[in-house]
DNA sequence: TAGATTGTTAATCGATTAACAATC
DNA sequence: TAGATTGTTAATCGATTAACAATC
């Protein structure tokens, strides 16, 4: 399999969509799927799907389609999910709690190994099978458990400090929900998830295209 | 202010970022900001910011920059946030709970007017000042409170039914966290928020560019 | 006036779509 | 073989970047 550098991020964002739907197809006992039918299910053009996949190799059979199980395995290797990344979550408010119990993470092979908070009412509680630890011990546990990816769901005011601590403990990638730009060494991958952008987009489209039938 | 049709979605996604940072600047008592400095703060090029804004008008002063308060107000009107959209959340698990208490939503002018669940242990509880109602009464409350935007944080298995009920009750826009394609009339705006894509992207980049310093 | 910064036009870059030859 | 569907190349479309004239 090719691992060409310089694959567009747009492609990388679509791969998990393909993968998750392929898992559903596999569970449903479907062996073969065409780009046409997969595209219908996902609302993506078949050309787009074929183009995305050929960034990494030729996984289909001409005149037939894609073998579901085979393609699952290929995408697992492309995304790197066979590694079963270990994750730690800092900030066990409701969002952190939700993520700690998020079944899709497990399904994708992510393993939650540490939950951290500063609130003594939360420390010691069992959340999704893991005991919440004091943030003071976060670095120690990240090192012990060899956690590679950190999720930050703390208030924005402490997010930078948490990121610094995670980086110091050896974390390589961070997914943050705090609405601010984190300062990290440039060998660390940071992605920001912004829950308010979606609502803002809806507001924009409702305001400016309010009768959709007229414009589409 | 111009409201040109056909503005790119990429632009629409950046507007809330500008807006939120402008609010911070305003709170800090800063009156004027250049695209250069705003770009530094956000990690966006100044050219990009200027280009985005000129889709809607000429809000800056040449040789000076942008007046923070004025630009805030302009963006509020572009996104349509002056409307104070009323929102309802279906599925008050931890994610729904987190969103019901999400301060950024309030800050942007969204008003949570209804919380709905099927679980009798949750119905009747006060979450962020709102009493959780049975999903059975969702349609009635959406109509009574004139809720315009729905957020779906239910399990995927019931998300379509919830969406159908929301649409039947007159909701115009839906933000869904369920990892599946919702079927709705095409005059309804649906945006999907996918919490697992961020982790998958991190997995991809850690796998394929593991020593970032070599490649960037 | 001189320096700074916008708004706009042109150039570049990249991503999506279309078309079709290859082949199962 | 005939029909179907991929993989790939070419064409189009759109978004970002660069350059600079306008002007505060």
């Amino acid at each position: 399999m090719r691992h060409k550098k310089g694959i567009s991020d747009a492609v990388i964002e679509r791969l998990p969509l393909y993968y998750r739907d392929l898992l559903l197809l596999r569970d449903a006992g479907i062996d073969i799927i065409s780009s046409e039918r997969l595209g219908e299910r996902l609302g993506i053009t078949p050309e787009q799907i074929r183009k995305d996949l050929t960034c990494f190799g030729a996984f289909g059979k001409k005149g037939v389609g894609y073998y579901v199980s085979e393609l699952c395995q290929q995408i697992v290797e492309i995304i790197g999910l066979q590694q079963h990344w270990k994750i730690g979550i800092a900030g066990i408010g409701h969002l952190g709690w939700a993520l700690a119990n998020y079944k899709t993470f497990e399904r994708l092979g992510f393993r939650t190994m540490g939950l951290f908070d500063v609130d003594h009412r939360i420390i010691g509680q069992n959340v999704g099978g893991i005991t919440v630890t004091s943030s003071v011990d976060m670095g120690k546990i990240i090192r012990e458990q060899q956690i590679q990816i950190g999720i930050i769901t703390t208030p924005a005011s402490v997010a930078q400090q948490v990121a610094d601590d995670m980086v110091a403990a050896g974390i390589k990638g961070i997914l943050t929900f705090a609405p601010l730009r984190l300062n990290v060494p440039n060998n660390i991958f940071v992605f920001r998830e912004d829950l308010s952008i979606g609502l803002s987009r809806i507001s924009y489209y409702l305001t400016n295209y309010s009768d959709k039938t007229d414009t589409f």
Side-chain angles (χ1 to χ4, degrees), chain A:
Chain A
M1 184 200 314
R2 281 174 258 158
H3 272 305
K4 277 198 291 189
K5 304 294 172 179
I7 304 289
S8 143
D9 199 55
V11 176
I12 306 311
E13 284 185 42
R14 282 189 295 264
L15 290 177
L17 299 181
Y18 303 156
Y19 180 56
R20 210 163 38 194
D21 203 45
L22 288 165
L23 287 180
L24 291 178
L25 289 166
R26 194 172 65 177
D27 289 350
I30 292 165
D31 291 330
I32 295 174
I33 186 103
S34 67
S35 57
E36 184 76 35
R37 285 212 295 141
L38 186 62
E40 271 169 34
R41 293 170 58 96
L42 294 167
I44 294 176
T45 64
E47 295 86 356
Q48 181 81 83
I49 295 175
R50 295 204 300 275
K51 196 100 223 289
D52 286 351
L53 292 175
T54 52
C55 291
F56 305 98
F59 306 131
K61 261 211 159 39
K62 293 179 183 180
V64 180
Y66 297 89
Y67 292 102
V68 173
S69 287
E70 233 171 68
L71 189 52
C72 278
Q73 190 49 35
Q74 299 285 10
I75 296 182
V76 161
E77 284 173 30
I78 293 166
I79 303 181
L81 295 176
Q82 78 282 2
Q83 297 222 15
H84 296 290
W85 298 96
K86 295 178 184 172
I87 68 181
I89 305 176
I92 311 303
H94 283 286
L95 181 55
W97 202 298
L99 296 177
N101 285 287
Y102 199 49
K103 294 287 168 274
T104 310
F105 287 172
E106 286 171 35
R107 188 107 209 251
L108 295 174
F110 295 100
R111 297 200 176 139
T112 306
M113 304 298 285
L115 302 176
F116 312 103
D117 206 288
V118 292
D119 187 336
H120 282 280
R121 290 166 298 183
I122 293 164
I123 294 167
Q125 281 195 41
N126 185 304
V127 175
I130 313 267
T131 303
V132 179
T133 312
S134 165
S135 293
V136 173
D137 300 320
M138 183 175 76
K140 202 182 98 214
I141 288 171
I142 287 172
R143 271 182 280 258
E144 277 175 13
Q145 300 288 332
Q146 297 182 288
I147 291 172
Q148 302 125 326
I149 299 175
I151 299 182
I152 299 178
T153 50
T154 64
S157 53
V158 297
Q160 181 62 58
Q161 182 60 56
V162 170
D164 292 344
D165 293 347
M166 283 180 167
V167 170
I171 265 186
K172 294 279 171 266
I174 293 176
L175 180 68
T176 176
F177 288 80
L180 63 91
R181 212 163 107 83
L182 292 177
N183 228 312
V184 296
N186 74 352
N187 62 328
I188 307 293
F189 292 96
V190 175
F191 287 102
R192 183 138 67 92
E193 200 79 62
D194 200 317
L195 297 179
S196 68
I197 287 177
L199 271 191
S200 296
R201 285 167 78 194
I202 291 179
S203 172
Y204 174 81
Y205 287 105
L206 288 179
T207 304
N208 295 288
Y209 299 76
S210 58
D211 197 359
K212 226 178 135 183
T213 20
D214 285 355
T215 52
F216 286 89

